[in-house]
Amino acid sequence: MYVAPCDMKILCSEEVTNLKKEYRKRFGEQFICFNYADFQGTEKKCAAQIYLEALRQAVKASGPYRIVSHRYDEFDH
């Protein structure tokens, strides 16, 4: 998958790394992987910013993050 430079900068940030570690520590599982189908950007926010917000909320939540992924709705490979 190609990741836009603006998204890559956020996804490789120390904050995302630390939040993912904290999430795994709290819930014993990895946070959902970034993908554009589940974290669609807007005119005001890039997709990685939306992912980061979801990750922040998930770390504060009382249970693991659950969604129905749309990752393979268009095609499966």
Side-chain angles (χ1 to χ4, degrees):
M1 166 176 71
Y2 174 80
V3 178
C6 62
D7 291 325
M8 199 64 181
K9 184 177 179 182
I10 294 169
L11 295 172
C12 293
S13 71
E14 188 175 342
E15 181 181 11
V16 169
T17 301
N18 291 338
L19 285 169
K20 283 183 172 183
K21 286 179 185 177
E22 181 64 27
Y23 182 88
R24 186 172 184 99
K25 187 176 170 183
R26 285 193 74 199
F27 302 114
E29 61 185 46
Q30 286 185 308
F31 188 68
I32 186 173
C33 293
F34 172 78
N35 65 78
Y36 287 106
D38 295 328
F39 302 99
Q40 296 181 6
T42 65
E43 288 182 20
K44 297 185 185 238
K45 291 184 182 180
C46 68
Q49 286 173 311
I50 294 169
Y51 178 81
L52 177 57
E53 289 173 3
L55 180 54
R56 284 179 184 147
Q57 290 175 353
V59 169
K60 293 178 184 176
S62 59
Y65 183 78
R66 299 285 185 250
I67 65 167
V68 175
S69 181
H70 298 284
R71 216 172 154 168
Y72 300 112
D73 287 357
E74 296 291 322
F75 52 86
D76 187 7
H77 62 269

